[in-house]
Amino acid sequence: METVKTISELRAARLRLPQPVGLVPTMGYLHEGHLTLVRAARSECASVVVSIFVNPTQFGPAEDLNSYPRDLRRDLQLLEKEGVDLVWAPEAEEMYPPGFQTWVTVEEIARPLEGSMRPGHFRGVATVVAKLFNAVQPQRAYFGQKDAQQAAVIRQMTRDLNFNLEIIVCPIVREPDGLAMSSRNTYLNPQERQAATVLYRSLSAARQAYQSGEREADRLRQVMTEVIQNEPLARLQYVSCADADTLQEITGRISGRALLSMAVFVGKTRLIDNFLIGEENHAPGY
Ligand code: AMP
């Protein structure tokens, strides 16, 4: 496994890789969720490239850029075991040199949900992913359904800017008690860690209601909200029952596929999670 930092080193190493090349973009501090993407890439591609970059432009001024967990040595050991060919771990100055002034802005689909709570977040995500795609030139790129709107934004950007690659979205990997794996789970103290199962419990309650025949989107939002409100350590930021393709909030009855999603603060840690419901239980556009 080769590890490179600069874009010129990356380009040189990329030229030596057999095709098709699969790219797995990450912010590091890897867990089983990331490794599932790596394994999917490993099984489908001749070469696997993993990028590790805590992208400053997708963090808001009051967010956790400086405290975001990092452990490159451990990440490299995990990736080596997975048979990854090339790891690209650039510095922020390499990606955003002085004078940088070009941004990728995806519109409609980036506006609701995370987009409305984290202004500028998806501009940072789309810009850095466009740069990763340009530098690595993969045939396939792997993302997690954990960040459902991110996957939808990247799909939209890929289509709109004619990136010549396939976007693959993999299911959410969870802890045994249902908590979606996340590098940010490391912020939780033991009480908060227990309370953090509330997202899964809340989504499960709404899915249960749906499976029992409830079709009113408002009612599902209410079911999710009540479960969160019953958890003293949790503070709800939003719950949503949205069209799975457009991510627009559903008013009235659910007909096709819907994305149930939420952001919840547990202590100071902001967690997100989602379930897809509806006839076809798979990721948007997948
Ligand atoms: P991150 O390092 O948090 O930016 O995540 C890198 C990629 O891993 C993104 O495409 C995430 O959606 C995906 N990912 C993160 N957590 C999970 C999880 N629990 N299950 C599946 N994919 C995940």
Side-chain angles (χ1 to χ4, degrees):
M1 185 176 84
E2 193 175 352
T3 303
V4 296
K5 281 191 131 179
T6 67
I7 292 172
S8 56
E9 288 170 323
L10 180 269
R11 288 224 165 98
R14 162 68 179 88
L15 285 176
R16 297 191 287 271
L17 293 178
Q19 315 223 47
V21 170
L23 170 66
V24 182
T26 81
M27 299 206 299
Y29 212 73
L30 304 178
H31 50 68
E32 278 296 310
H34 299 112
L35 298 182
T36 302
L37 305 185
V38 171
R39 285 171 202 143
R42 183 71 285 166
S43 72
E44 294 170 9
C45 305
S47 310
V48 178
V49 180
V50 175
S51 61
I52 299 179
F53 181 55
V54 182
N55 174 35
T57 66
Q58 70 189 66
F59 287 77
E63 293 182 359
D64 57 342
L65 172 62
N66 292 326
S67 57
Y68 196 85
R70 293 163 168 89
D71 190 345
L72 185 60
R73 251 183 49 166
R74 177 174 163 278
D75 289 347
L76 294 178
Q77 284 170 0
L78 290 170
L79 295 176
E80 175 105 59
K81 277 197 217 130
E82 298 296 333
V84 166
D85 299 285
L86 177 60
V87 177
W88 182 26
E91 300 289 346
E93 299 71 42
E94 178 79 9
M95 298 300 270
Y96 301 105
F100 183 90
Q101 53 181 296
T102 302
W103 299 95
V104 178
T105 311
V106 178
E107 302 205 341
E108 231 107 304
I109 203 153
R111 268 189 208 119
L113 307 174
E114 291 297 284
S116 73
M117 296 298 162
R118 305 183 68 187
H121 172 66
F122 286 122
R123 179 178 91 144
V125 168
T127 301
V128 82
V129 172
K131 286 169 69 71
L132 298 175
F133 285 178
N134 277 331
V136 177
Q137 309 239 325
Q139 276 73 42
R140 299 187 186 118
Y142 294 80
F143 294 87
Q145 176 64 14
K146 163 85 191 332
D147 299 280
Q149 189 177 17
Q150 169 174 280
V153 167
I154 300 299
R155 251 185 218 297
Q156 187 70 45
M157 176 191 80
T158 300
R159 199 179 310 140
D160 291 347
L161 296 185
N162 309 103
F163 282 107
N164 190 18
L165 55 87
E166 189 185 350
I167 304 294
I168 289 141
V169 180
C170 299
I172 301 177
V173 178
R174 299 179 178 281
E175 300 287 355
D177 64 5
L179 175 65
M181 289 194 182
S182 165
S183 308
R184 289 188 168 101
N185 292 348
T186 176
Y187 297 146
L188 301 168
N189 70 31
Q191 291 75 34
E192 291 168 347
R193 170 63 189 79
Q194 276 221 314
T197 59
V198 74
L199 287 86
Y200 182 73
R201 286 187 275 122
S202 162
L203 289 162
S204 301
R207 181 170 61 190
Q208 185 62 52
Y210 177 85
Q211 285 168 347
S212 307
E214 182 61 69
R215 290 293 178 274
E216 289 298 328
D218 254 342
R219 180 68 198 129
L220 295 188
R221 286 186 285 264
Q222 194 185 345
V223 167
M224 291 190 281
T225 303
E226 278 165 13
V227 177
I228 305 288
Q229 284 173 343
N230 280 327
E231 174 51 67
L233 294 182
R235 182 167 60 80
L236 180 64
Q237 192 179 42
Y238 69 81
V239 287
S240 162
C241 174
D243 180 284
D245 295 316
T246 65
L247 304 188
Q248 295 305 304
E249 213 54 38
I250 299 173
T251 54
R253 289 179 69 78
I254 301 166
S255 48
R257 294 181 311 136
L259 182 75
L260 303 175
S261 68
M262 59 180 58
V264 175
F265 282 95
V266 177
K268 289 196 163 71
T269 306
R270 184 177 184 277
L271 301 174
I272 60 171
D273 200 352
N274 68 81
F275 278 8
L276 276 166
I277 57 171
E279 320 96 305
E280 303 164 83
N281 199 12
H282 53 51
Y286 185 48

